[in-house]
Amino acid sequence: MYKIAVMGDYDSIYGFAALGLTTFPINMGGNMEEAAKKLRTIAASGYGVIYITEALAAKLKKEIDRYKGQLMPAIILIPGVSGNTGAGVSQVKQSVEQAVGSDILFSGD
C-alpha cells in the first residue's frame, strides 16, 4: 500500500494528521527551494499521493510539472485556509480532458 502525504502551511494541513496522513508543514514565507527539495524527497520516498495546497503549488509550479507525465506520485491540489483559487478544479478538468479527449463540461450552448 502506498503512503499519502500532505504539504502546505500548517493551518491548512494539520487536520489531515488525524486521518492518518503524513503531513509536511511548509513555511510559506520561507525559502521555496527548501519546499521544492522536500517535495522531491517525499516523491522519492514511496508516497503514491501527495496533496499540496493551492497556494504552495503556485509557488512550486516548476517542480510539480516534473511529475505530470509520471504515474506516481499523483499530485493533487487542495484548497487551503486562505480559500479556493480554483487551481485544483482546473487541474482535474485538464486531466479529464486529456483522458477523454474533450471537455466533458462544455454545454455547447
Side-chain angles (χ1 to χ4, degrees):
M1 179 186 265
Y2 292 103
K3 301 180 282 185
I4 300 174
V6 185
M7 290 181 69
D9 61 281
Y10 177 80
D11 290 338
S12 295
I13 68 168
Y14 74 91
F16 288 95
L19 300 173
L21 307 181
T22 308
T23 57
F24 296 92
I26 302 295
N27 178 0
M28 296 298 289
N31 181 352
M32 285 301 113
E33 182 53 42
E34 288 296 318
K37 184 178 177 182
K38 177 60 76 177
L39 176 57
R40 287 190 297 271
T41 301
I42 294 168
S45 299
Y47 285 87
V49 176
I50 303 172
Y51 291 106
I52 301 180
T53 60
E54 292 173 337
L56 179 58
K59 294 183 178 191
L60 296 179
K61 183 171 177 15
K62 188 174 181 180
E63 189 66 34
I64 291 170
D65 285 347
R66 295 172 135 206
Y67 300 98
K68 281 202 174 181
Q70 298 181 17
L71 183 59
M72 286 192 346
I75 297 179
I76 301 169
L77 307 187
I78 58 173
V81 294
S82 59
N84 184 352
T85 66
V89 173
S90 176
Q91 181 189 39
V92 170
K93 185 175 182 264
Q94 288 174 347
S95 296
V96 170
E97 285 177 14
Q98 183 178 3
V100 176
S102 66
D103 182 354
I104 62 170
L105 298 177
F106 179 68
S107 65
D109 293 340

